Amino acid sequence: MARGKGVVIMERDTETVHEAYAFVCLHCGHGWEEEYEIRHTTDLTGHRRADYFTRGVRVASPLTRADCPSCNLGPIRILRPGRVNSTRPYLA
């Protein structure tokens, strides 16, 4: 059972998966990687939602991120995990 904005929501099913994403800012070139715990929940009425967590803190979906944490601009490109670290020797 979950609570949100004074409403009790009955949950029927929750599945947790772990995914990692790599990001690069096309404005400043900053690259970073982040791992997420994604909880896919289906409530008793059949509505599904996905909640993203990083280091135990609920965060917005990385697929909706529009700005870079370094320059606060963008656009942001999402890459396969491991891509940022594998290109760093070439950027030095």
Side-chain angles (χ1 to χ4, degrees):
M1 185 179 344
R3 296 179 185 270
K5 297 184 182 180
V7 177
V8 176
I9 302 168
M10 300 296 289
E11 295 174 349
R12 177 177 67 193
D13 185 30
T14 300
E15 175 189 3
T16 301
V17 295
H18 292 86
E19 292 186 14
Y21 296 96
F23 306 91
V24 65
C25 176
L26 299 179
H27 178 78
C28 72
H30 176 68
W32 70 101
E33 297 193 22
E34 193 71 59
E35 292 184 17
Y36 297 89
E37 176 182 300
I38 308 166
R39 298 178 193 162
H40 297 275
T41 305
T42 304
D43 65 20
L44 292 177
T45 62
H47 292 98
R48 293 183 48 89
R49 75 171 191 273
D51 297 310
Y52 289 77
F53 294 83
T54 300
R55 294 180 287 282
V57 176
R58 187 174 177 194
V59 296
S61 166
L63 305 177
T64 61
R65 183 177 207 133
D67 58 352
C68 171
S70 180
C71 70
N72 294 317
L73 296 172
I76 303 298
R77 166 115 357 128
I78 301 174
L79 308 169
R80 290 188 315 266
R83 298 285 297 191
V84 171
N85 288 333
S86 69
T87 60
R88 286 200 172 142
Y90 301 107
L91 299 175

